[in-house]
Amino acid sequence: MPRYDFRCRACGATFEVNRPMVQAGEPAACPQGHLDTVKLLSTVAITGRGGASGGAAAPAAGGCCGGACGC
């Protein structure tokens, strides 16, 4: 289930809420019970050995195809 970050405008607390994506835009009360909250934008980091290439080796620097053909 996705996790969404919120910040309370009343007390400044930052908190997380787990909820289905269809409920992503619904308001959330802070742990102190305040209702004046705002959903924060969050980033997603994908890391690993393959990165975005799915494990394929990145071409060597040079040319449009890595320089192997001399272009």
Side-chain angles (χ1 to χ4, degrees):
M1 189 169 310
R3 179 177 301 162
Y4 300 97
D5 296 325
F6 287 83
R7 182 175 42 90
C8 179
R9 291 180 179 163
C11 67
T14 301
F15 59 99
E16 298 175 341
V17 175
N18 293 328
R19 58 171 57 159
M21 290 177 69
V22 296
Q23 297 175 351
E26 294 182 10
C30 86
Q32 303 298 320
H34 303 120
L35 298 177
D36 188 13
T37 60
V38 62
K39 186 175 150 193
L40 302 175
L41 295 177
S42 58
T43 58
V44 175
I46 300 174
T47 61
R49 294 180 65 153
S53 65
C64 63
C65 62
C69 64
C71 58

